[in-house]
Structures are given as structure tokens and as C-alpha cells.
Amino acid sequence: MLKKIIIKGAKILTMTAYNEAGIINGDILIEGQYIKEVGKVSYQVDDVEIINGNNCLALPGLINCHTHAAMTLLRGYADDMELMTWLEEKIWPREAKLGADHVYWGSMLAILEMIKSGTTTFTDMYFFMDNVAKAVEEGGIRAVLARGMIGFNDQDNLTLNESKSFISNWHGEGKGRIKCMLGPHAPYTCPPDYLVKVMDLAQELKVGIHIHLAETKQEFDDIRKQYGKTPVKHVYDLGLLNHPVLAAHCVHLTEEDIAILQECSVGVAHNPTSNMKLASGMAPIPQLLEAGIKVGIGTDGTASNNNLNMFEELHLASLLHKVSWGDPTVLPAYQVLQMGTIFGAQTVGLIDEIGTIEVGKKADIILIDLNKPHLYPSHDIVANLVYSAQGSDVKTSIIDGQIVMKDREVLTIDEEKVIYEAQRYAQKIME
Ligand SMILES: [Zn+2]
């Protein structure tokens, strides 16, 4: 028999209405992996687990559209540097020392942090992906995983083949919580002939492509110099955007690029903190949203953030675009929350499963404890969520119908052990 859970007497922000009117008072019935009823729920007390929703707000779990989870091991290791120097002198040499176990414990630490701050789905690009998938399976979170591929280093197609077997082994695993994509790192690390191979494989395996695109001014200038076109036009002309594409960053865009992203229904992962910290620039997010482009929010890896707290990311996204456009009306609170939930689900290709609290969707739900000084008074719950809430206000988290955190205790992960091992493995790569 399927397990039943009822969240009783919560305020529910469904994210299905196009305004703040989507808040209702009531219950949520979860059966197995799915949301069965929302509103007034009748039940027999003996066959359900009841979660008290008093003074709590239920909302869809947050979706982190772009990160590199295991980079938690490099958190705080190299900061305040220019992107290419940072990558070439600091990050890549340390990453070269990472083994499968490092990636497992680094990912576990990331998953622990994400669950404790309200993320229920993350989109990852890294290596030793079998171990990331294993951590996802054990941690109970949902994820869209891609083996990062550097085309220049893959003359014998070893990484491409590894991606292929990773996808055959893991796509749809964890009762469907794990989805896979192909992850060519970026146009400046993957030459055109390599991207063509990636496209062929995407076609064969029927999966999407996750790529860094138009992140820095240097990339924009280099690609223009090399190919005579912008990074977006370059991958468009290659045919890459005919596939379902999740493009991280999209900071440096022309009007024509925006039209291309719109025409090809590209999902854009906006990473405000990473773009600010690495001084990559300001992605034209209000323009992209205006053009109807799917935009979700990501944290990027913790080496350039330095945390995986999506509440902080939502807050900063809103503020960054207000100040950069000189207009406090851009990216209002509800729209930013949409980017963290329903738009994020569209961006990563999971809108049929998650992103809203609706009958028939998978039960990925977080409960915010509203009984916090910084969440009073409640003139506007959505404004409080975006401008005042903290990741630590998440009290309970349900993913795929499973309670993964209850009253701040993560039930799927041995927290003490993960922190101990992550610290140990982080030290090893510094030796
Ligand atoms: Zn990235």
C-alpha cells in the first residue's frame, strides 16, 4: 500500500496562479510519490502520517538550476580572483586531485546543505558522476545530472563514452528522481566538431544538453574573434539549440542572441551570486523574461558563491536587477519566486513533474516555519519569503513523497558523518 502523508492546516502557496492570490489555507494529501489532494482533505487517521502545518507555509521545493555540487570541498579555498586565473591557477589544479570518493562526500555535503535550505531539485555538471548519482539516490533529493566534458581534452572520446554509459546507467533511476543530460562544458572548451558529436549522442539517447554559455566578456570576445559570431549564434549555427538546452549564465547577449534563445526555447540558468562574485557581468534577465524565455535560478558551485542557499539567491537576483536597471519595479518578489520554482521546473525540463503544488504532480514540498521574528508581521508572505526568509527557516522537506527532513532533522543523511568526511577529503586535496 502506498504511504500517505497529510500536511494539515498550512498556508499553501501553490505557485499555480499568476499572482499572490495563489495562497490558500488547507491541507495537502500525498500518496506515494504524488500530490493527491490540495485544500480540504478527508482521511482516516490510522493510515496516514500527519504533519502539523500550523504557522507554516507550504510551497514547492526550490530548484537549483545550475551547480557543481562536489565543489563544496573547495568552498573558501580561492576567492576574489578573475575567472580564468581562478580556474587555471586554483580550481583546475585542485580538481585534478579529486577522486571518486572526494566527489561522493563533497556531493553529500552539498545535498545536506541544499535540503536544509529548501532545495528539492538540483542540476549538476561535474565528474565521477556515478558517485554524484549515488549520493542523490541515498540523500533522497531530485537531480538532473551531467558529466562535464572538456572537448579539448577528449581526443579519444573517453569522456563522451563515459557520459553515454553514465546516462544508460542512471537516467530514470532513484524511482525517477534522477534525470541525466549531456554536459559539454562551454563553447570555449569544446570545439565545433566535438559539439557535433555531443549533438549526435543527445539525439541517440534522447536527452538534453547542459552547457555554460556567454558567461564572461572574455568568452564573448574570444568566440567572436575565432568564429566571427557571438557564443549564442555560434552554437545556434552548429544546430546545438535544436536540442533541449539548459544554458548556464547567458550574461553577454546581443538582441539577436535573445531572439535566438527565444526561438529555440532555450532554458537559461541565472546565477546572480556567481556572476557578481566573479564580476562576469549582469545577465539581461528582465529582458529575457519579457521575451518569454524560460529562466530559472542557480547557485553555481560553492567555490564561486560560496553557499547553495537558494533563498539568498532569490533575494540577490531581485536586488541585482533592480540596481543594475535603476528600476525598483523589475523582478518583483513573486516573479523571482516563480524563477525559483515553476520557471525553474520549465528551465530544466521537469515542468510535468514538479514546480507547483498541484494534484498529479510529484510531492516536492517544503514547509517554512513562519514563527520567526524576521517573518512578522505578515503583510505580504511572498515579499517576506523573497526579501527576508532564510534557508534555515525551512522546517520540513518532502521530496518525491518522502519526508527527507522533519523539524530540521535530515532523515536520509548522517549529518555528523558527512561533515566529518567532507572535511577530511577537503584536506586531502590540499596536501
Ligand atoms: Zn558553472
Side-chain angles (χ1 to χ4, degrees):
M1 211 176 77
L2 292 172
K3 182 179 164 71
K4 291 196 186 91
I5 299 169
I6 289 180
I7 300 169
K8 190 107 192 80
K11 287 187 167 53
I12 305 166
L13 180 55
T14 62
M15 297 310 292
T16 53
Y18 291 103
N19 54 47
E20 290 82 348
I23 300 183
I24 51 177
N25 290 303
D27 315 324
I28 302 169
L29 171 65
I30 297 164
E31 199 177 299
Q33 296 168 281
Y34 293 96
I35 297 169
K36 275 286 183 190
E37 284 180 55
V38 180
K40 197 86 206 107
V41 169
S42 52
Y43 61 96
Q44 284 171 318
V45 77
D46 50 349
D47 65 348
V48 292
E49 175 163 0
I50 300 210
I51 293 176
N52 182 359
N54 253 342
N55 225 345
C56 286
L57 176 74
L59 78 152
L62 302 177
I63 298 167
N64 185 343
C65 291
H66 177 73
T67 191
H68 313 280
M71 287 186 92
T72 48
L73 298 191
L74 295 168
R75 186 190 336 251
Y77 161 63
D79 299 276
D80 312 321
M81 298 176 75
E82 190 272 321
L83 175 71
M84 285 323 289
T85 323
W86 177 76
L87 283 176
E88 285 167 3
E89 290 176 16
K90 292 287 184 176
I91 299 301
W92 287 341
R94 293 298 167 184
E95 281 187 337
K97 294 177 139 194
L98 293 178
D101 289 340
H102 296 85
V103 168
Y104 173 79
W105 290 109
S107 300
M108 268 303 202
L109 183 66
I111 291 167
L112 180 62
E113 183 186 351
M114 287 192 273
I115 289 173
K116 294 198 89 166
S117 53
T119 294
T120 54
T121 297
F122 72 102
T123 307
D124 200 62
M125 183 200 291
Y126 216 54
F127 42 92
F128 295 114
M129 291 307 291
D130 287 330
N131 275 17
V132 182
K134 216 172 110 199
V136 168
E137 196 171 43
E138 292 169 18
I141 200 165
R142 190 182 300 284
V144 182
L145 307 177
R147 202 302 184 193
M149 299 183 282
I150 308 280
F152 288 128
N153 299 342
D154 195 22
Q155 275 82 9
D156 301 322
N157 299 327
L158 292 177
T159 319
L160 209 56
N161 291 332
E162 192 190 312
S163 285
K164 187 175 176 178
S165 58
F166 170 67
I167 293 170
S168 341
N169 290 338
W170 288 100
H171 193 54
E173 285 302 304
K175 294 185 192 146
R177 277 187 291 112
I178 298 174
K179 296 274 162 46
C180 300
M181 281 183 158
L182 284 163
H185 172 262
Y188 62 93
T189 50
C190 296
D193 60 332
Y194 193 76
L195 288 176
V196 169
K197 287 186 216 167
V198 171
M199 286 185 264
D200 290 344
L201 191 54
Q203 180 83 20
E204 182 191 330
L205 301 175
K206 295 188 173 49
V207 294
I209 295 171
H210 183 184
I211 187 168
H212 295 89
L213 191 61
E215 179 176 3
T216 61
K217 182 74 169 51
Q218 186 177 347
E219 172 189 345
F220 186 86
D221 292 342
D222 289 352
I223 296 284
R224 261 242 273 242
K225 206 162 142 199
Q226 199 172 355
Y227 303 106
K229 37 189 127 170
T230 67
V232 170
K233 183 73 165 49
H234 169 61
V235 295
Y236 173 74
D237 285 349
L238 285 171
L240 191 92
L241 304 185
N242 296 332
H243 300 263
V245 167
L246 170 62
H249 300 298
C250 295
V251 172
H252 297 275
L253 304 174
T254 62
E255 295 290 334
E256 190 196 8
D257 292 340
I258 294 174
I260 288 173
L261 295 176
Q262 196 250 350
E263 177 200 325
C264 300
S265 297
V266 172
V268 172
H270 174 44
N271 304 273
T273 302
S274 174
N275 294 164
M276 283 192 267
K277 188 154 187 270
L278 295 167
S280 304
M282 285 163 301
I285 300 303
Q287 255 177 293
L288 299 185
L289 290 168
E290 185 70 31
I293 293 165
K294 302 172 285 187
V295 185
I297 292 184
T299 57
D300 213 347
T302 51
S304 63
N305 186 302
N306 293 2
N307 62 50
L308 300 167
N309 177 1
M310 281 288 289
F311 279 96
E312 187 173 304
E313 218 58 41
L314 299 181
H315 190 177
L316 287 172
S318 179
L319 301 192
L320 169 65
H321 296 287
K322 290 179 198 313
V323 72
S324 69
W325 285 64
D327 179 356
T329 67
V330 299
L331 293 203
Y334 190 74
Q335 193 176 33
V336 173
L337 206 52
Q338 285 178 307
M339 291 164 74
T341 55
I342 180 169
F343 294 174
Q346 289 167 345
T347 304
V348 303
L350 291 177
I351 191 60
D352 293 338
E353 295 186 37
I354 56 169
T356 57
I357 297 181
E358 262 181 294
V359 173
K361 287 238 173 145
K362 298 270 175 76
D364 286 12
I365 298 168
I366 56 174
L367 286 181
I368 308 294
D369 181 359
L370 296 174
N371 195 22
K372 292 287 172 76
H374 56 275
L375 299 178
Y376 280 105
S378 56
H379 297 302
D380 182 339
I381 283 189
V382 170
N384 280 0
L385 267 184
V386 172
Y387 298 125
S388 192
Q390 306 294 316
S392 53
D393 298 335
V394 179
K395 188 180 178 190
T396 292
S397 175
I398 296 169
I399 305 175
D400 210 39
Q402 185 191 8
I403 303 170
V404 294
M405 179 170 75
K406 193 169 186 189
D407 299 325
R408 300 248 359 112
E409 187 195 343
V410 178
L411 306 175
T412 48
I413 295 174
D414 181 341
E415 189 164 342
E416 217 174 303
K417 179 158 194 219
V418 166
I419 288 171
Y420 173 80
E421 294 291 355
Q423 175 66 25
R424 198 160 73 86
Y425 276 89
Q427 269 161 357
K428 282 187 188 201
I429 47 172
M430 296 304 154
E431 279 160 12

